[in-house]
Amino acid sequence: MTSKLVKRVQSIRELERAWRAIQENARSSKSDNVRREVEKFAENSGRRVHSICARLARGSFKFMPAKGIPIPKTDNDGKRSKTSFRPIVLAPLESRIVQRSILEVLMSHKAMQKYVNTPHSFGGVRRQKGKEIAAVPAAVYAVLQAIGGRGQQLGGGAKFVALADISKFFTRIPKTAVRNIISSAIEDNEFMALFDEAVKVELSNMAELREKAAQFPVEDIGVAQGNSLSPLLGNILLFEFDALMNEGDCRCIRYIDDFIILAPTKKAAAARLKKAKRLLGALQMELSPEKSSKEPSPVDAPFVFLGIEFANGFIRPSG
């Protein structure tokens, strides 16, 4: 008998919702291939979504191999790196629709709410009920709250700041560890079997990638940057990290792999940054030395977080 969660994933309602989300995201995609694929699917989306539904119900749906796309990173001068890149994984559109449907079911599950509705993490979560803003605007507002002195329990009145970036974050997330957390929370083996297939990474262009193929997450360590489930998996893994980093008089606001520490003193900020390095080290992760603060700085000195420049109470897009 099919579990309730799997029935929800394969329902027309959830699949159509997932398709609409992907269609909306494609409008801002820089990839011509992505936009063309979405436009072609849209020509007969109703029939195609029903086909996905039927194959899921029969157990014949297959997550087809994805394409590995090495996207060059930019250095501090804005130039494209010749050696450093982001290992983006682009799955076929049908697979992305099912992955998105799985994500929506997970994020609405009662047992997963503590990972979804958290005051410490703002990336990869939907806007909370009763809240007017989400994502980057919500993270920016939280920083301003911490500096402005409102809500001492959240680190209000912070005087010093430290910025940090987790190096190669998605490629360091252990699939099995996160899977076990989810499995223990929802207790649905049939759903987890579908989840396992959705996060598995199989690339169709391994030979073409050559030496770069080793940096794509085809083994247990690492999740696909490009899979809609990956930000949630990162949030689940760092749930305890977020809680520990927000103990006491400091505030730590995280957006995926970027986070900011706001503290009442320079000493407290430095200690919290040291704590972050220790906690991440236990997860086999580390901070990017190029993108992380070497030492805390006063909050009244200009700093940039999530592409926003904070300058003594004023904010504006950086660059």
Side-chain angles (χ1 to χ4, degrees), residues 267-281:
K267 182 178 180 180
R272 198 57 54 107
L273 186 60
K274 185 176 181 180
K275 182 176 184 178
K277 293 176 181 179
R278 176 174 57 81
L279 293 172
L280 291 171

Side-chain angles (χ1 to χ4, degrees), residues 208-266:
E208 178 186 332
L209 290 168
R210 298 182 181 180
E211 69 278 359
K212 293 179 180 178
Q215 295 192 45
F216 284 82
V218 294
E219 304 296 338
D220 179 63
I221 302 299
V223 297
Q225 189 170 353
N227 187 327
S228 60
L229 283 158
S230 294
L232 175 61
L233 304 190
N235 287 339
I236 292 171
L237 181 70
L238 293 184
F239 177 76
E240 292 297 334
F241 169 87
D242 291 336
L244 293 170
M245 287 293 292
N246 280 278
E247 290 180 337
D249 56 1
C250 294
R251 181 84 161 97
C252 178
I253 297 161
R254 183 174 60 83
Y255 193 98
I256 310 295
D257 53 358
D258 291 307
F259 63 90
I260 182 171
I261 295 168
L262 297 128
T265 65
K266 185 175 183 179

Side-chain angles (χ1 to χ4, degrees), residues 2 16 27 40 64 71 92 97 121 138 143 155 187 224 247 267 285 290 300 312:
T2 306
E16 286 184 339
R27 292 176 181 172
K40 183 178 180 180
M64 302 305 291
I71 304 294
I97 290 173
S121 174
V143 172
E187 299 180 331
E247 290 180 337
K267 182 178 180 180
M285 293 182 178
E290 299 85 8
D300 54 7
N312 200 23

Side-chain angles (χ1 to χ4, degrees), residues 43-173:
E43 291 173 1
N44 201 340
S45 61
R47 180 179 62 81
R48 291 187 168 106
V49 169
H50 276 78
S51 174
I52 296 172
C53 174
R55 279 176 282 150
L56 284 169
R58 293 195 303 266
S60 61
F61 180 87
K62 301 294 182 184
F63 290 92
M64 302 305 291
K67 183 178 182 181
I69 306 174
I71 304 294
K73 293 183 178 180
T74 55
D75 56 28
N76 293 332
D77 297 325
K79 297 180 180 179
R80 297 179 108 195
S81 172
K82 295 182 179 179
T83 57
S84 182
F85 65 90
R86 294 185 183 278
I88 303 298
V89 176
L90 182 63
L93 182 53
E94 286 193 346
S95 295
R96 301 204 303 275
I97 290 173
V98 178
Q99 289 166 350
R100 182 78 190 202
S101 184
I102 292 172
L103 173 67
E104 292 298 329
V105 170
L106 266 180
M107 291 183 72
S108 63
H109 195 286
K110 183 178 179 179
M112 302 301 297
Q113 292 312 296
K114 69 176 184 178
Y115 304 109
V116 175
N117 298 320
T118 165
H120 312 311
S121 174
F122 296 86
V125 298
R126 62 164 69 111
R127 181 169 61 88
Q128 295 182 29
K129 188 175 182 180
K131 301 289 186 179
E132 296 182 356
I133 55 175
V136 172
V140 169
Y141 181 68
V143 172
L144 293 174
Q145 276 191 310
I147 295 173
R150 285 172 288 177
Q152 292 295 323
Q153 74 278 10
L154 297 179
K159 302 299 182 184
F160 286 85
V161 58
L163 301 160
D165 175 271
I166 304 174
S167 180
K168 301 178 181 178
F169 177 56
F170 287 107
T171 62
R172 296 289 186 268
I173 297 173

Side-chain angles (χ1 to χ4, degrees), residues 169-188:
F169 177 56
F170 287 107
T171 62
R172 296 289 186 268
I173 297 173
K175 294 186 187 75
T176 298
V178 180
R179 181 217 190 270
N180 290 343
I181 294 173
I182 297 172
S183 181
S184 296
I186 67 172
E187 299 180 331
D188 188 322

